[in-house]
């Protein structure tokens, strides 16, 4: 990813003050592109965040890794500029561009000074609409990805995630790494990348967030120009998939002194009415620091691990509730048993009033700290839109946390936590555990 920062741009990035309240303006361009903007003119700097829904899950059969390779090549030359010339032009403008990908989205981040705004956006437009896909760049970036794939196969943290995804998602795109396999990436052609580009970067799936020294009128004007060269429609989104697991353990043998485990089962979709209560519940079970139950029971009381945590994963096409833990091979079985016990206790008994109040205090106090710069604000604005949250969410979110009652948590604990479906996948040489 391209990251070109001068001393000035670094100062601008981190100098934006925290806001007591975030004022979001909804913008619609003449061409129908919607965006959310937090206008801030105290510093002559703009952060622009584009998110194209679909991401690596759009890969077609036999072409796994095509969207990832395509995104990695967006900074490797555009229009009349080859890779080196593109990087030099970005540096000369004191602009930075990041191109990233996940299962469900392609993310484009742009940071630029207002004095160079037009030139920076023109460069970004070329990267989005006229990527060169030169063969020498394809070969070089492909080799880097293949090297990473080979390295991943020696990383137990990667292998445990891969094994869990394969078990849960099978042939669905979620069931394999977004980078693809060595075989699939090696077989990709330039035509495959052109197809992936047209399928993933389309105007029918773009979300935009902006923060900084730009007016709504100017943002509306530049958006149409920025995106006008992209196709109106892209590939159909991937299919939804149900998550089905059974309680038990799957062991993937690997010669390491410490085993790594992922555990989990079905979760809740982001638009589920119980998601907010589940978010607070997870903070108490395994999402927080040393006060979380899993950390207290597995690490503090028994010394079985340096860290254990849980987290909600509301993907676009499936919802999971997962956790991770690592422990010595001769202690991982005990750690797993403690996690099972705590999962069951909370499912049956919920949480205490003291735990709930402590979680609320932390979550409401930490939330404003997320808005510590234009870049993070623009990113949050895009995430809110993709999650279909209302424009006033940032200013009402803490009130929603405070409104969660003990009864809400007890009800959601009984629904969300499923000891009979809690599956562990372990990579290592765990003693006392078998698949």
């Amino acid at each position: 990813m391209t990251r070109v920062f001068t001393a000035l741009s670094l100062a601008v990035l981190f100098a934006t003050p925290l806001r007591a309240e975030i004022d979001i303006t909804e913008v619609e361009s003449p061409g129908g592109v919607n965006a959310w903007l937090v206008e801030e003119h105290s510093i002559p700097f703009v952060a622009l965040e584009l998110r194209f829904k679909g991401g690596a899950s759009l890969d077609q059969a036999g072409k796994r890794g095509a969207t990832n390779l395509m995104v990695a090549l967006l900074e490797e030359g555009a229009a009349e500029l080859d890779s080196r010339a593109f990087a030099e032009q970005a540096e000369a403008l004191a602009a930075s561009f990041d191109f990233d990908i996940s299962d469900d989205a392609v993310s484009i981040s742009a940071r630029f000074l207002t004095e160079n705004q037009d030139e920076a956006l023109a460069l970004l437009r070329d990267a989005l609409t006229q990527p060169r896909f030169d063969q020498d760049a394809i070969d070089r970036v492909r080799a880097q990805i293949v090297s990473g794939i080979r390295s991943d196969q020696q990383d137990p943290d990667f292998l445990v995630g891969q094994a869990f995804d394969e078990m849960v998602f099978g042939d669905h795109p979620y069931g394999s790494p977004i980078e693809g396999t060595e075989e699939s990436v090696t077989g990709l052609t330039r035509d495959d990348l052109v197809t992936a580009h047209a399928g993933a970067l389309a105007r029918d799936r773009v979300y935009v967030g902006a923060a900084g020294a730009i007016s709504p009128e100017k943002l509306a004007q530049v958006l149409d120009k920025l995106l006008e060269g992209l196709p109106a429609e892209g590939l159909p989104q991937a299919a939804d998939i149900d998550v089905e697991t059974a309680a038990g353990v799957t062991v993937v043998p690997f010669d390491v002194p410490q085993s790594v485990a992922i555990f989990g089962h079905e979760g809740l979709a982001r638009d589920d009415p119980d998601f907010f209560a589940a978010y607070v519940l997870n903070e108490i079970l395994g999402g927080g620091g040393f006060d979380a139950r899993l950390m207290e029971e597995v690490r503090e009381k028994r010394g079985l691990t340096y860290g254990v945590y849980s987290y909600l994963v509301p993907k676009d096409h499936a919802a999971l509730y997962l956790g991770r833990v690592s422990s010595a091979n001769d202690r991982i079985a005990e750690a797993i048993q403690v996690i099972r016990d705590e999962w069951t206790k909370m499912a049956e008994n919920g949480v205490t009033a003291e735990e709930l109040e402590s979680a609320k205090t932390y979550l409401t106090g930490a939330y404003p700290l997320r808005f510590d710069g234009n870049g993070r604000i623009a990113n949050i604005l895009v995430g809110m839109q993709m999650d279909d949250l209302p424009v006033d969410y940032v200013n009402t979110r803490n009130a929603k946390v405070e409104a969660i009652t003990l009864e809400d948590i007890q009800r959601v604990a009984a629904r969300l936590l499923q000891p009979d479906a809690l599956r562990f996948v372990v990579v290592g040489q765990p003693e006392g555990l078998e698949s």
Side-chain angles (χ1 to χ4, degrees):
M1 295 183 293
T2 301
R3 293 183 180 272
V4 184
F5 290 116
T6 64
L8 174 59
S9 62
L10 280 169
V12 167
L13 180 62
F14 293 110
T16 305
L18 295 176
R19 297 166 171 84
E21 185 167 308
I22 306 297
D23 184 14
I24 300 173
T25 301
E26 296 182 79
V27 176
E28 182 176 356
S29 75
V33 180
N34 295 305
W36 287 7
L37 167 66
V38 171
E39 197 172 354
E40 172 57 64
H41 290 274
S42 63
I43 300 173
F45 168 76
V46 178
L48 182 67
E49 197 77 24
L50 307 175
R51 200 78 48 85
F52 294 87
K53 185 171 183 172
S57 65
L58 296 176
D59 281 343
Q60 301 300 285
K63 305 296 182 181
R64 190 57 168 158
T67 310
N68 177 69
L69 178 55
M70 179 274 293
V71 171
L73 286 161
L74 293 179
E75 63 180 329
E76 298 292 336
E80 301 303 315
L81 303 176
D82 62 14
S83 178
R84 180 184 293 274
F86 184 90
E88 290 174 347
Q89 180 71 0
E91 183 175 10
L93 294 170
S96 72
F97 307 117
D98 288 350
F99 305 91
D100 205 356
I101 186 170
S102 67
D103 276 330
D104 293 323
V106 173
S107 301
I108 316 294
S109 303
R111 311 287 185 260
F112 47 85
L113 299 174
T114 52
E115 65 183 84
N116 297 330
Q117 176 178 282
D118 292 342
E119 295 89 343
L121 288 172
L123 188 61
L124 177 60
R125 182 181 66 245
D126 287 345
L128 293 176
T129 63
Q130 300 183 68
R132 290 169 63 100
F133 298 137
D134 293 330
Q135 191 61 50
D136 63 335
I138 294 174
D139 293 341
R140 173 167 42 80
V141 175
R142 188 206 317 266
Q144 294 169 354
I145 292 173
V146 168
S147 176
I149 291 171
R150 292 171 179 168
S151 177
D152 285 339
Q153 296 308 307
Q154 305 303 315
D155 181 359
D157 287 304
F158 174 86
L159 293 175
V160 73
Q162 177 179 269
F164 194 96
D165 288 345
E166 288 177 353
M167 177 188 69
V168 173
F169 297 120
D171 292 335
H172 191 277
Y174 287 169
S176 58
I178 64 175
E179 298 84 2
T181 65
E182 185 172 347
E183 180 181 10
S184 69
V185 174
T186 301
L188 294 173
T189 66
R190 186 182 187 281
D191 287 343
D192 293 329
L193 302 179
V194 172
T195 299
H197 177 267
L201 271 61
R203 297 196 305 275
D204 67 339
R205 62 201 57 205
V206 66
Y207 297 79
V208 183
I214 188 170
S215 68
E217 296 75 20
K218 181 64 174 179
L219 179 61
Q221 175 188 342
V222 302
L223 285 177
D224 284 339
K225 194 171 183 180
L226 181 65
L227 302 173
E228 65 184 355
L230 295 176
E233 297 181 358
L235 286 168
Q237 300 292 334
D240 293 345
I241 183 169
D242 293 329
V243 175
E244 298 180 0
T245 55
V249 176
T250 299
V251 175
V252 180
F254 197 71
D255 187 11
V256 285
Q258 179 170 269
S259 292
V260 180
I262 284 184
F263 52 92
H265 51 55
E266 181 184 17
L268 296 180
R270 183 62 184 82
D271 60 357
D272 190 290
D274 283 335
F275 184 86
F276 219 86
Y279 180 75
V280 177
L281 178 148
N282 177 66
E283 184 67 24
I284 299 168
L285 178 59
F290 292 102
D291 291 336
R293 283 198 189 180
L294 293 183
M295 281 289 281
E296 174 68 19
E297 296 296 329
V298 182
R299 172 178 167 150
E300 296 303 304
K301 288 186 178 180
R302 296 170 176 85
L304 299 174
T305 184
Y306 284 111
V308 56
Y309 54 96
S310 59
Y311 46 101
L312 291 158
V313 187
K315 293 175 180 283
D316 283 354
H317 307 292
L320 295 155
Y321 188 27
L322 299 179
R324 277 183 179 254
V325 67
S326 57
S327 187
N329 286 325
D330 62 350
R331 308 199 74 187
I332 188 69
E334 183 183 356
I336 286 174
Q337 187 57 54
V338 174
I339 292 168
R340 282 177 173 150
D341 291 344
E342 292 306 312
W343 215 263
T344 302
K345 287 178 186 176
M346 188 170 285
E348 295 176 350
N349 305 319
V351 308
T352 68
E354 182 181 4
E355 286 176 317
L356 177 56
E357 287 308 309
S358 177
K360 286 182 177 182
T361 298
Y362 172 75
L363 290 172
T364 55
Y367 187 63
L369 301 179
R370 299 183 185 183
F371 300 88
D372 64 349
N374 287 338
R376 294 191 70 181
I377 291 172
N379 189 58
I380 289 170
L381 297 183
V382 171
M384 287 170 56
Q385 293 173 72
M386 295 193 75
D387 287 339
D388 200 25
L389 296 172
V391 72
D392 66 346
Y393 174 80
V394 295
N395 298 316
T396 63
R397 182 264 194 189
N398 276 357
K400 296 179 189 297
V401 172
E402 294 288 3
I404 299 295
T405 66
L406 195 59
E407 291 72 22
D408 292 330
I409 296 292
Q410 317 300 51
R411 172 178 52 80
V412 173
R415 177 190 174 195
L416 174 64
L417 299 167
Q418 304 172 32
D420 292 341
L422 185 58
R423 190 74 184 184
F424 289 80
V425 173
V426 184
V427 170
Q429 295 178 314
E431 296 180 15
L433 289 177
E434 294 180 359
S435 293

